[in-house]
Amino acid sequence: MREGDEDLQRASSAAFPHGRSGTVARAMQGMILLAMAIGALNGSTSVLVNAAGGLAVTFAPAALERDTRVSMDPRLSVWLTAAVFLHVIGALGLPLIEGTLYGSTWWWDHGTHAASASLIAGVGYSLLRSVDEHSEQVELPPGMTFVFTLLLVLAVGVYWEVLEYGIGHIQISGESPLTQYGIRDTLEDLAFDAAGGFIAAVLGQMWLLGSHGN
Amino acid sequence: MADRYGTNLTRLVEEHPLNAALAWGCTAITTAIGVVALVSGNLTWGLTVLVVALLASLPGPLYGSLETTLPWELVGMVLIACGWRMIEPTSEAALFAVIAGAAILIAAEIHLFTRTRLSHRFVVALVAVATAAVAGAWALLSWGADAFLGTNYITTNAELMQDLTVAAFVGIIAGFLFDVYVRYWEGRFDVLTPTLEGRGDRE
């Protein structure tokens, strides 16, 4: 099969996920939608904004594949939906526990940061592979792809903290959608971003060297 | 020479006496700034500037011709950033401008001296990303030093966030400036030098 056909097939399978990964992704999107409704009913703008924003993000891979030649592994969209799901569930007040998972479970924030960072690494890695394949001018040996993936993960972590800091100054009906709890929180976020991204980049590297034998 | 990923960067190195003289002049002043900083006891900053000066002087020796250098405008921009930080030692914007400049030099040399090939658009994104990433990594290293070496680099969250914000924006601005520069300078020179491995496209 020609490379282009394969790309096209992969693109369509991500835009219309089917099989087990599609069902899992749809189920999590449904629960995020439910969280959005709960946020609206409880009058919690923070939950509403995070769930709505998150839900929009889960549709990004399909949109990206439709509009560009970049093709993504369908598993990436499940991974993405899972990261958003963990974030939204953490911000939601749940029965049986006091307050939210972010507030009551000390490692929840670390977990979501590591999960999102591994996702950024996965997406970044796929983008770099695709640029390497599609551009005649760009050639990226595996070692460079690894380094660039790590840089991207750290940078996105920094952009996220900057965004969080900026949004922390915006109040919507008395509460802010995202909060920074202080210097320790910022640095721990960055540390878990780096760790999650590093692990994902190493796994990606091992997969690449294993399957392409470079 | 250009596709949708941008302009080919092979021409980032050129062999031209006037360009070489200007580039070496800028490199010499940068080195002087580094040495002065070292002598006055500012170790980290002094070493950073000397590394930048070293990056700027690499192509000549590697090509075996001192008349082969990076475009003097690039070396000059990095010198301006170093000078800015020297005049305003507390300016984080100046510091990250130096880091972004170093990122451009490193990207150009990765393209010229390794198997990796980069387009100019790729470098624009890389410079923005690398500058923010260095700020993040630096914050983590400082935090580690504060915890284990008893230093006191990081004080308040507001200050840390200001540094990260400045780094994020300076990286993006530096990428933009590089983009403007490459567009302006594309096709300005006739003298081309292939990449070291000779795989660069020579027109």
Side-chain angles (χ1 to χ4, degrees), chain B residues 24-116:
Chain B
W24 282 115
C26 291
T27 309
I29 302 174
T30 309
T31 310
I33 292 178
V35 170
V36 168
L38 272 189
V39 169
S40 51
N42 202 336
L43 196 67
T44 320
W45 167 237
L47 285 177
T48 308
V49 178
L50 286 182
V51 167
V52 168
L54 182 71
L55 285 170
S57 41
L58 271 182
L62 282 173
Y63 277 104
S65 136
L66 292 184
E67 287 195 356
T68 308
T69 58
L70 294 170
W72 75 272
E73 293 96 328
L74 278 189
V75 186
M77 287 300 285
V78 177
L79 166 64
I80 288 173
C82 291
W84 177 15
R85 172 74 180 185
M86 184 182 74
I87 293 164
E88 271 190 81
T90 54
S91 166
E92 297 298 327
L95 180 62
F96 288 113
V98 175
I99 300 296
I104 293 177
L105 298 185
I106 291 172
E109 285 166 10
I110 284 176
H111 171 79
L112 293 168
F113 304 130
T114 73
R115 283 206 299 135
T116 306

Side-chain angles (χ1 to χ4, degrees), chain B:
Chain B
M1 287 294 277
D3 66 12
R4 66 198 201 93
Y5 295 93
T7 309
N8 187 291
L9 285 177
T10 304
R11 284 186 278 180
L12 261 187
V13 73
E14 55 169 317
E15 194 174 358
H16 191 283
L18 179 62
N19 177 72
L22 289 168
W24 282 115
C26 291
T27 309
I29 302 174
T30 309
T31 310
I33 292 178
V35 170
V36 168
L38 272 189
V39 169
S40 51
N42 202 336
L43 196 67
T44 320
W45 167 237
L47 285 177
T48 308
V49 178
L50 286 182
V51 167
V52 168
L54 182 71
L55 285 170
S57 41
L58 271 182
L62 282 173
Y63 277 104
S65 136
L66 292 184
E67 287 195 356
T68 308
T69 58
L70 294 170
W72 75 272
E73 293 96 328
L74 278 189
V75 186
M77 287 300 285
V78 177
L79 166 64
I80 288 173
C82 291
W84 177 15
R85 172 74 180 185
M86 184 182 74
I87 293 164
E88 271 190 81
T90 54
S91 166
E92 297 298 327
L95 180 62
F96 288 113
V98 175
I99 300 296
I104 293 177
L105 298 185
I106 291 172
E109 285 166 10
I110 284 176
H111 171 79
L112 293 168
F113 304 130
T114 73
R115 283 206 299 135
T116 306
R117 293 287 169 273
L118 304 173
S119 69
H120 105 266
R121 277 199 191 148
F122 194 98
V123 174
V124 169
L126 182 61
V127 167
V129 161
T131 310
V134 166
W138 187 252
L140 286 176
L141 285 176
S142 313
W143 189 37
D146 288 356
F148 297 109
L149 304 176
T151 51
N152 210 359
Y153 290 126
I154 296 182
T155 46
T156 65
N157 191 51
E159 203 173 310
L160 171 67
M161 287 316 302
Q162 273 165 25
D163 290 358
L164 294 182
T165 310
V166 165
F169 281 104
V170 167
I172 292 168
I173 293 168
F176 175 74
L177 287 179
F178 181 73
D179 180 59
V180 169
Y181 171 68
V182 170
R183 280 163 197 276
Y184 158 75
W185 140 105
E186 197 187 358
R188 190 156 70 85
F189 301 114
D190 333 302
V191 186
L192 304 182
T193 312
T195 54
L196 257 197
E197 294 193 345
R199 294 199 294 130
D201 339 43
R202 190 162 193 168
E203 276 172 329

Side-chain angles (χ1 to χ4, degrees), chain A residues 135 137-139 141 144 183 186, chain B residues 1 5-6 116-117 154 157:
Chain A
S135 170
Q137 296 181 13
V138 180
E139 268 177 56
M144 273 303 159
I183 191 159
T186 308
Chain B
M1 287 294 277
Y5 295 93
T116 306
R117 293 287 169 273
I154 296 182
N157 191 51

